[in-house]
């Protein structure tokens, strides 16, 4: 059974804290993605990576950074959390060079910044 | 840049009836893919159906089928014989390129009633 695993389902952090959201996939996928999901806005791409140590900005990268030290792991970092980063965060992975292929998603981390 | 528009924030259907969810998109690419993903209350994003833009034949998957109108850039999802388990948020999604970045619509929440 293929899996994308996010380290936390729920997280509460204080304003100004450094926050790490971890994502691990076991499918040997090259592509990994971080999306943010907000009501009425759908999913918006924050960052993606198509190889180890490679990263590309998505549509809303401001306030976020990422790290991909190993192929299976992709971390999203909030350097100084703010209340407007309260949201649902979804990690996904897919095969490189196959845009018609299915993307697999984690179950999401609901982050609340207080 | 790609955009995806879902104009129905919420829909309701009775069990065993048929419902159609609407989607329009815009892309400058000639080769692209279209998907419908489902997100039930468990938050696990699941692929429902996919369509290759260069194929004229509409995709079908059991009770799920699409009406793909390439010239009109329309991609609607029809669910036949609706079941309680179909209740979820449905996202219309486009994908182009080897990096497989998905562009999501804002979603349609489908309620299934007895």
């Amino acid at each position: 059974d293929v899996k994308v695993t996010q380290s936390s389902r729920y997280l509460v952090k204080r304003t100004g804290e450094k926050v790490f959201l971890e994502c691990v996939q076991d499918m040997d996928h090259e592509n990994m993605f971080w999306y943010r999901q907000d009501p009425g806005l759908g999913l918006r791409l924050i960052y993606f990576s198509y190889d180890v140590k490679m990263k590309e900005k998505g549509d809303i990268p401001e306030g976020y950074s990422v790290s991909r030290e190993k192929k299976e792991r992709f971390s999203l970092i909030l350097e100084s959390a703010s209340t407007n980063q309260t949201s649902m965060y979804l990690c996904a992975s897919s095969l490189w060079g196959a845009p018609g292929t299915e993307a697999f998603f984690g179950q999401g981390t609901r982050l609340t910044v207080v | 840049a790609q955009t995806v528009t879902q104009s129905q924030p919420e829909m309701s259907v009775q069990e065993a009836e048929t419902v159609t969810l609407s989607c329009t998109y815009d892309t400058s690419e000639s080769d692209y893919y279209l998907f419908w993903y489902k997100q039930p209350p468990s938050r696990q994003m699941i692929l429902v159906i996919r369509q290759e833009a260069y194929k004229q034949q509409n995709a079908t998957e059991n009770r799920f089928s699409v009406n793909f109108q390439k010239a009109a850039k329309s991609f609607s999802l029809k669910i036949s014989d609706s079941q309680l388990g179909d209740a979820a948020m449905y996202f219309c999604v486009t994908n182009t390129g080897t990096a497989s970045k998905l562009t999501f619509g804002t979603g349609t929440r489908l309620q299934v009633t007895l």
Side-chain angles (χ1 to χ4, degrees), chain A residues 5-6 11 15 20 27 31 33 36 45 55 58 61 64 68 70 72 76 80-81 83 88 96-98 105 111 114:
Chain A
T5 303
Q6 294 184 228
L11 212 52
T15 302
F20 293 86
M27 294 164 283
N31 299 331
F33 308 86
R36 171 175 171 159
L45 181 63
K55 60 185 179 183
Y64 304 94
R68 193 167 181 197
K70 293 184 178 181
E72 67 269 20
L76 180 69
S80 178
T83 54
M88 172 78 79
W96 167 260
F105 288 80
L111 172 67
V114 297

Side-chain angles (χ1 to χ4, degrees), chain B residues 20-27 29 32 34 36 51-59 65-77 92 94:
Chain B
T20 298
L21 307 184
S22 301
C23 172
T24 59
Y25 63 93
D26 193 17
T27 180
E29 303 288 336
Y32 54 92
L34 297 160
W36 280 95
Q51 175 79 43
E52 298 167 87
Y54 63 86
K55 285 189 177 179
Q56 291 188 335
Q57 186 173 6
N58 289 324
S65 62
V66 299
N67 183 5
F68 174 47
Q69 302 289 328
K70 190 172 184 178
K73 294 184 177 176
S74 170
F75 183 60
S76 61
L77 174 69
C92 180
T94 66

Side-chain angles (χ1 to χ4, degrees), chain A residues 24-63:
Chain A
V24 177
Q25 51 96 2
D26 65 0
M27 294 164 283
D28 203 35
H29 283 167
E30 295 84 2
N31 299 331
M32 294 190 75
F33 308 86
W34 276 106
Y35 289 90
R36 171 175 171 159
Q37 182 177 4
D38 298 290
L41 296 178
L43 277 70
R44 293 177 291 166
L45 181 63
I46 305 171
Y47 267 96
F48 72 99
S49 168
Y50 53 87
D51 199 356
V52 175
K53 297 191 185 294
M54 303 299 290
K55 60 185 179 183
E56 295 272 349
K57 291 180 180 179
D59 300 318
I60 52 165
E62 297 78 19

